[in-house]
Amino acid sequence: MRAGLGRAEVAQPGHEEAGSGIGFGSVIGPGPERRTFLVRLTAEEFLGWVEPFYKDRGLKLSWSRVDRDCDIKRVTLSFQRSRGRIDLAAVLSIARSWGMNPLDELATIPRFSTITRYKGLPEDNEVLAAMDQGYVLQELAVRALDKKHSTIRQPWDDPPYRFYGWFAYASQAEGGAYAEPIVRALGLNKNSVSQRIQGRTAIGDDEIIVMAEAVGLNPVLGLVLNGSITPEEAGYSPQLREVVLRRAETSELVNLTRFSLGIIQKDIAEKAAAAEAIRTLK
């Protein structure tokens, strides 16, 4: 498992902190389904980044300017600041609006100073597990039938099973054990974690970093798969997936295909069972 990026201490008055966590590690919030704010910025951290950011550009900090540069709605950002829980998307979008690399700016915040170590080339098995498995089948066909290689144009954050493959296959956990460290790190129940991994619930930027760290995966790749940063911002070449696919061992591609077919088969069976239940109720 890769080293963690640091531990967030953002507990709010009246909220109980629970769990040791992995990577960023703090779990905040009341109730049995405790929401996580593991890597969200405190008001002090955000101010400590945003004020010098504008000062370096010869500008005095103006919240109206911040609102214009940020993709987050003004009322939402104001609420987050008042709660001391600013979404990482604020930093990413402001940096991007000024033509700066979002990851480089995130790394100027002390708690995230090591995030750039994950830029560049992710592990091949992570890239393979997260891509659309149709391309894996095409590659096998190319090798078996001497067909022409295809170009991958699909966005990184488009394959429907990308998180399932990434977490379950690339983490190399046996029998679904990948979910347990994520459950502990996020402080959510297993069903909530499964909903995120299966793409049925959106994953926050803070959550994807913690989830990746919990099972030793690349958090920058997680941000790319989540659509939070672009492959170019992560330092990926346009041909990265094609290169990884073509240099993979055939046995690896076959194993990945078997795994992916299992996911699809399970998904179809669950949908059929749900449809049958609805018909029975009617």
Side-chain angles (χ1 to χ4, degrees), residues 240-257:
L240 174 60
R241 290 174 295 180
E242 295 165 24
V243 171
V244 169
L245 192 58
R246 292 172 190 176
R247 71 185 176 204
E249 296 287 342
T250 299
S251 58
E252 175 75 3
L253 299 182
V254 171
N255 288 336
L256 182 55
T257 298

Side-chain angles (χ1 to χ4, degrees), residues 224-282:
V224 172
L225 297 177
N226 211 30
S228 306
I229 62 172
T230 67
E232 293 75 21
E233 291 167 343
Y236 300 169
S237 73
Q239 295 80 32
L240 174 60
R241 290 174 295 180
E242 295 165 24
V243 171
V244 169
L245 192 58
R246 292 172 190 176
R247 71 185 176 204
E249 296 287 342
T250 299
S251 58
E252 175 75 3
L253 299 182
V254 171
N255 288 336
L256 182 55
T257 298
R258 288 173 177 159
F259 172 83
S260 302
L261 289 174
I263 294 175
I264 295 171
Q265 184 178 25
K266 181 180 178 182
D267 196 26
I268 292 173
E270 288 178 352
K271 289 178 180 177
E276 179 61 29
I278 292 173
R279 283 195 296 269
T280 301
L281 290 174
K282 288 181 178 179

Side-chain angles (χ1 to χ4, degrees), residues 72-81 85:
I72 301 175
K73 292 181 180 179
R74 182 173 185 175
V75 64
T76 302
L77 182 59
S78 177
F79 178 75
Q80 291 182 358
R81 286 171 49 213
R85 297 169 176 171

Side-chain angles (χ1 to χ4, degrees), residues 17 19 36 55 58 95 124 127 152 158 172 204 210 219 223 259 280-281:
E17 182 177 356
T36 57
K55 183 177 181 181
D124 282 11
V127 175
I152 301 177
D158 189 57
Q172 300 180 346
V210 173
L223 290 171
F259 172 83
T280 301
L281 290 174

Side-chain angles (χ1 to χ4, degrees), residues 18-22 25 27 179-188 193 214:
S20 60
I22 297 175
V27 180
E180 297 304 326
I182 294 175
V183 167
R184 292 195 299 270
L186 287 181
L188 300 177
V193 169

Side-chain angles (χ1 to χ4, degrees), residues 4 9 18 23 44 47 53 55 60 67 97 116 126 152 168 181 189 203 216 228 254-255 260:
E9 301 292 348
E44 292 76 15
L47 182 62
F53 180 86
K55 183 177 181 181
K60 187 176 180 180
D67 292 334
S97 73
T116 51
E126 294 189 44
I152 301 177
N189 61 46
I203 306 176
S228 306
V254 171
N255 288 336
S260 302

